[in-house]
Amino acid sequence: MPHKVTVTAYHPDKTVCPPDHKYTTGNRALAEGCPGRTGFVASCDCAWSSTRSATKGYAAEMGRRHRTATH
């Protein structure tokens, strides 16, 4: 079975932004009380994780590159 890579979003205070927090296409938070997302980290179930990225797309790309090169 292939390893799974997950991208996690973080709030400015470095807490996880839950997947149920919805955003506009302009990246404005719609969930009440959500301070917004300031970073994304890709992680693999093999214990690898990327450095913090400003965009979800870049974090996902780093995860794809890891999985291709390592697994």
Side-chain angles (χ1 to χ4, degrees):
M1 173 159 52
H3 287 266
K4 182 178 178 179
V5 174
T6 305
V7 176
T8 305
Y10 289 90
H11 293 135
D13 64 0
K14 301 196 182 359
T15 58
V16 173
C17 184
D20 62 333
H21 282 190
K22 301 298 179 196
Y23 286 81
T24 66
T25 55
N27 208 27
R28 186 174 55 88
L30 293 174
E32 190 166 328
C34 181
R37 302 178 291 200
T38 58
F40 298 88
V41 174
S43 58
C44 181
D45 56 10
C46 74
W48 170 88
S49 64
S50 69
T51 57
R52 184 175 287 260
S53 170
T55 65
K56 184 177 183 178
Y58 186 73
E61 177 61 23
M62 295 307 292
R64 281 190 289 278
R65 289 180 186 186
H66 159 75
R67 192 173 56 214
T68 300
T70 307
H71 303 293

